[in-house]
Amino acid sequence: FLINKTAIFLLSQTLVCLSVTLSLKAWSALQAGGSVLDAVEKGCARCEADQCDGSVGFGGSPDERGETTLDAMIMNGNTMEVGAVGDLRRIKNAIGVARAVMERTDHTLLVGESASVFAENMGFTAEDLTTNKSISIFTQWLKDNCQPNYRKNVSPDPSQYCGPYKPGATLRQRRKRQIDIHAHDTIGMIVIGKDGQVAAGTSTNGANHKVPGRVGDSPIAGAGSYADSTAGGAAATGDGDVMMRFLPSYLAVELMKTGTDPSTACKTSISRIKIHYPGFFGAVICANTTGHYGAACNKVPGFSKFTFVVYNSQSNSPLLQSVDCF
């Protein structure tokens, strides 16, 4: 789901996700006889193609070199198999490559240039992920002396100058960064089939102006998303560099496995992060195998409510839901 936008759950043939359009694409895959994995892949791929919110797919979130790279993950809750890619270059369909990693290798995560070569070998088309928009974002950033950026304890002073950077003489407390709720969003999707099969997936182009090579939470199992057909699924979005340290999706699913309702499971996983990072930006969606779902988010300036989309066999149409952040 896209934070501050929408998420998709498909439970008991239900889908929870971040966008009405994406939910329709995923739901159509299920109705056509596709698997829960098909639904996750097709829904996320639509978001990648549509460049959702500028934070998913090609042409967004350029790194310090002006290049857009992609992260994605898909998980099969029946087999606990995971396929993921990080820092993927030149390939638009990151979720498709993630599924290829899961189904065409014994590995879980491929990254960087080697992931791109793997994708090309698997038949994915290599394309330039740069657009006029991403060039404009990058050019303006350079004009602003590379502000904001993710560097600390380096020389020259990263709060005033561009690199190249070298280690600073002394370590000091990092300056407080202003939260930009549009700097890093993710499409997250949980699909629960009619027989209780669970799948989950995420896709993103990461954080604006990230350090080249950075991989966020989206392709990390248990961080970006998690699925377990004995319990349910969860997906997260927000400040991945913080959230991935707490595996919020894994925690939420484990809580649901013990009988915790989805809303409480989501809120608990957010609360664990708040203890250490009270000002972090993020949200989690949760759905269990009985068709119940929930979400939670951390309240920060400009982000007080989180919206997501639920599609199930009872409504047979996408339902826009929201929760108040706390």
Side-chain angles (χ1 to χ4, degrees):
F1 43 100
L2 292 164
I3 208 159
N4 215 17
K5 290 295 186 296
T6 334
I8 294 174
F9 298 103
L10 290 173
L11 313 155
S12 343
Q13 288 234 342
T14 302
L15 174 148
V16 183
C17 147
L18 284 167
S19 155
V20 171
T21 301
L22 308 186
S23 67
L24 290 170
K25 187 71 175 178
W27 190 257
S28 295
L30 286 179
Q31 297 300 91
S35 68
V36 289
L37 289 170
D38 294 333
V40 168
E41 180 184 2
K42 291 184 182 298
C44 289
R46 177 61 183 269
C47 193
E48 293 170 346
D50 289 349
Q51 301 169 285
C52 289
D53 200 40
S55 59
V56 178
F58 67 102
S61 300
D63 64 16
E64 287 186 341
R65 295 186 299 218
E67 183 177 16
T68 295
T69 58
L70 309 179
D71 298 340
M73 188 198 96
I74 191 168
M75 183 167 184
N76 184 335
N78 279 2
T79 64
M80 308 308 288
E81 291 175 293
V82 174
V85 287
D87 192 30
L88 182 70
R89 308 171 63 191
R90 302 190 307 278
I91 308 295
K92 290 183 177 180
N93 182 202
I95 192 71
V97 181
R99 188 170 181 181
V101 171
M102 181 175 69
E103 296 182 340
R104 308 292 181 184
T105 80
D106 286 328
H107 299 312
T108 293
L109 172 65
L110 296 182
V111 299
E113 180 63 22
S114 295
S116 303
V117 172
F118 166 80
E120 291 180 53
N121 290 340
M122 292 297 103
F124 291 87
T125 302
E127 304 175 73
D128 188 357
L129 303 187
T130 302
T131 63
N132 289 336
K133 180 180 179 181
S134 65
I135 291 173
S136 176
I137 293 171
F138 178 60
T139 300
Q140 186 59 52
W141 182 70
L142 292 177
K143 289 180 179 179
D144 293 336
N145 294 322
C146 303
Q147 302 303 310
N149 63 58
Y150 290 90
R151 302 284 184 162
K152 65 180 181 180
N153 300 319
V154 294
S155 178
D157 184 348
S159 68
Q160 300 183 50
Y161 304 105
C162 295
Y165 300 105
K166 295 181 179 180
T170 59
L171 295 180
R172 57 186 178 183
Q173 185 68 31
R174 176 144 170 67
R175 70 188 189 279
K176 185 176 181 180
R177 300 186 72 234
Q178 184 175 356
I179 295 174
D180 180 0
I181 64 172
H182 300 293
H184 31 51
D185 287 347
T186 304
I187 174 63
M189 184 175 292
I190 304 163
V191 179
I192 300 180
K194 60 184 179 181
D195 297 322
Q197 321 97 308
V198 181
T202 50
S203 181
T204 184
N205 55 35
N208 260 336
H209 319 308
K210 61 191 175 186
V211 177
R214 180 262 190 184
V215 174
D217 65 319
S218 294
I220 307 302
S225 61
Y226 198 74
D228 184 336
S229 294
T230 68
T237 185
D239 188 345
D241 290 296
V242 169
M243 296 181 74
M244 69 194 298
R245 302 167 191 174
F246 298 88
L247 298 179
S249 295
Y250 173 77
L251 173 58
V253 172
E254 286 297 294
L255 288 169
M256 289 190 290
K257 189 179 292 187
T258 66
T260 303
D261 70 90
S263 293
T264 302
C266 279
K267 190 169 184 178
T268 299
S269 68
I270 290 290
S271 296
R272 292 282 181 89
I273 306 173
K274 284 171 67 79
I275 294 171
H276 298 275
Y277 298 93
F280 87 99
F281 167 62
V284 178
I285 55 172
C286 302
N288 65 23
T289 53
T290 66
H292 294 89
Y293 55 86
C297 50
N298 189 40
K299 187 176 183 179
V300 296
F303 182 58
S304 60
K305 187 181 291 289
F306 177 67
T307 58
F308 56 97
V309 170
V310 176
Y311 208 142
N312 58 33
S313 53
Q314 286 73 46
S315 65
N316 202 32
S317 63
L319 301 174
L320 189 64
Q321 307 282 299
S322 67
V323 293
D324 291 327
C325 300
F326 70 99

